[in-house]
Each structure stands twice: as C-alpha cells, then as structure tokens.
Amino acid sequence: MAKYSTGSSGSGGGTNCELCGAESESLTLASVAGAELEVCPDCAPHDDSEARGEDRSRDRSDHASRADDEPSRKQKAAQNVAKANPVWDGDSEHWESEGTNYDDDPLPYLVSDYGEALVEARRDAGLQREELADELGAPAKDVLAIEQGRATQAGVGGGLIEALEDRLDVTLAE
C-alpha cells in the first residue's frame, strides 16, 4: 500500500493508517504536517496538535459520524478545483477573440501536422511569416498560431486557412 494513501477515510470504511499504511482497528484522527489523517497508535506521536496542546481526543467512530454532515476530502478537493478553473464558469470571454464569429467563419477540420505543413510551404515559397501575413492581410500572430498547431486556441477563422492553402498550394484542411 502507498505510504500516503487517501484510502477511504472520507467514508469511514478504511482500516489502514494513512501515514504508514498499517492495518489497525484503533485509528485516531491526527494533524500531521497540516493534514488531518487517520493514524495508527504507532504513528499517533506524529500528531502536531498534541505538541501544541490541542485536544485531539476524537477517535475514528467520531470522525465517521461526521462524514454524513461534512463533504469528504475528495468532494472538497473537486469543489476547489472547479472554483479555481475559469473554464467551468460559463464565461468564454477569456478564450474567445473579440469580434470572432464562428458561425460566419468556422474553422474546418485540420489535417494532422498542419502547422509543420504550413511552415514547410511558406519556406518553400521563400516567404517570411510577416511577409505572408501582410500579403494576406492577416495578423502575423495568427499565422504563427497556425504554424504552431494552435489554430483552434487562437480563434483563427476558416477564411485564413483557405487563404493560406490557396496562396501556398498546401493542404491544411480535410
């Protein structure tokens, strides 16, 4: 068993020490390095709260009875991840380019390695990235994004992909 297992402490059904992994029927709740763990009698001296003089007399059965009232560690961790990740908040402004209308200029399905194909075709044509972008009337950062394989993330429209294909005689879209 892993030394720092999460076991099933949230549901109160585990019988292994969360510090050393030993099986024990007399687990107690201990604060070890800031984490609340269910530990066996051998690991109980590592309880930081005892060193600070706090009352930590709760045992495993007390912890199990609280499990119905409080979310488990796994649930709390999942909630914290969801709060910290802006993708889940429904606000797409942080990743959509201003003025991008995907209905009017949808990005087609791109071939694999489309970025490498574009770089090779641009170099074969003897063009610098900025020259090509100026010629097409597109931002150089969009051409760079396509060359790096980030067309979707950069919000590049299908019109630019078509213009690049026509100008360089290269296949980027399926």
Side-chain angles (χ1 to χ4, degrees):
M1 170 163 275
K3 187 166 186 174
Y4 297 104
S5 80
T6 55
S8 57
S9 63
S11 63
T15 59
N16 291 34
C17 174
E18 290 184 302
L19 192 57
C20 71
E23 287 192 35
S24 175
E25 292 299 322
S26 58
L27 297 177
T28 58
L29 193 61
S31 176
V32 180
E36 287 199 9
L37 304 173
E38 291 181 353
V39 298
C40 66
D42 292 337
C43 293
H46 297 289
D47 189 350
D48 296 336
S49 59
E50 286 182 8
R52 291 188 307 257
E54 296 176 10
D55 179 22
R56 301 292 292 191
S57 59
R58 291 183 290 178
D59 65 5
R60 182 174 166 67
S61 61
D62 181 35
H63 178 64
S65 67
R66 290 185 309 133
D68 296 334
D69 299 333
E70 296 180 13
S72 72
R73 288 185 199 170
K74 290 178 184 176
Q75 288 172 327
K76 286 181 183 178
Q79 289 169 351
N80 289 338
V81 167
K83 287 178 189 174
N85 193 343
V87 172
W88 308 116
D89 66 5
D91 176 22
S92 61
E93 289 182 25
H94 65 279
W95 57 269
E96 284 185 348
S97 300
E98 189 172 309
T100 301
N101 186 340
Y102 296 105
D103 294 330
D104 292 343
D105 192 16
L107 186 65
Y109 288 105
L110 300 172
V111 298
S112 62
D113 299 329
Y114 65 92
E116 293 173 17
L118 177 59
V119 171
E120 185 178 329
R122 177 180 56 78
R123 288 182 180 159
D124 289 347
L127 294 170
Q128 295 293 320
R129 185 179 306 118
E130 292 77 16
E131 292 174 323
L132 179 60
D134 288 344
E135 188 177 314
L136 298 175
K141 68 178 180 66
D142 286 352
V143 176
L144 174 62
I146 297 168
E147 288 182 351
Q148 293 176 339
R150 300 180 299 109
T152 304
Q153 296 92 332
V156 175
L160 179 55
I161 299 293
E162 290 176 25
L164 289 166
E165 287 180 319
D166 291 343
R167 170 60 180 89
L168 299 174
D169 193 32
V170 64
T171 301
L172 303 174
E174 292 181 348

